[in-house]
Amino acid sequence: LDRTKESGSQGEPIYMDVCASLISCKRGGVYVAGGRYGLGSKDFTPSMVTAVIQNIMIKNEEKIQHPFTVGINDDVTHLSLPLGKIVNPLNDDVTECVFYGFGGDGTVGANKESAK
């Protein structure tokens, strides 16, 4: 997975590096599928991880979507993977918090107390 789009290239930088490494080790027969994530400042969610894993776990290599995009609806190249259902890896009793603050205004100490 790469977080960049290299228009006009044979593949994204990490994909190309992996392929070159495999060839230099005489492992050119290994199938490599590359894709993009995080385009449009999208967060990489557990649902996206599931979509990528389901794509690469397809038994028939010819049916694996490569290249692919995950996280956005790519209506130009139509390379988006379907996300399916929302995946939440946390237990229901877990509380998530986001604290915002500026340096030197006491928020670090206050946030430590809030977390306790």
Side-chain angles (χ1 to χ4, degrees), residues 27-42:
R27 302 276 316 265
V30 175
Y31 183 80
V32 180
R36 295 180 218 101
Y37 76 99
L39 301 179
S41 299
K42 300 285 185 183

Side-chain angles (χ1 to χ4, degrees), residues 13-28 32:
I14 293 176
Y15 170 78
M16 297 302 291
D17 288 347
V18 170
C19 290
S21 296
L22 288 169
I23 289 171
S24 71
C25 295
K26 299 187 181 11
R27 302 276 316 265
V32 180

Side-chain angles (χ1 to χ4, degrees), residues 37-101:
Y37 76 99
L39 301 179
S41 299
K42 300 285 185 183
D43 289 334
F44 192 60
T45 65
S47 298
M48 294 178 200
V49 173
T50 302
V52 171
I53 291 172
Q54 287 175 345
N55 182 49
I56 62 172
M57 294 300 290
I58 295 173
K59 301 263 187 235
N60 185 349
E61 288 180 3
E62 294 175 4
K63 293 187 178 184
I64 295 175
Q65 187 170 334
H66 166 74
F68 61 84
T69 303
V70 67
I72 64 168
N73 183 13
D74 190 350
D75 59 351
V76 176
T77 61
H78 306 287
L79 297 175
S80 299
L81 293 177
L83 294 182
K85 67 178 186 171
I86 295 174
V87 176
N88 184 4
L90 301 176
N91 293 333
D92 290 337
D93 61 345
V94 173
T95 302
E96 295 180 273
C97 301
V98 177
F99 298 101
Y100 296 95

Side-chain angles (χ1 to χ4, degrees), residues 1-15:
L1 288 173
D2 217 323
R3 196 173 179 130
T4 183
K5 183 175 182 177
E6 297 288 328
S7 299
S9 70
Q10 293 178 345
E12 281 68 42
I14 293 176
Y15 170 78

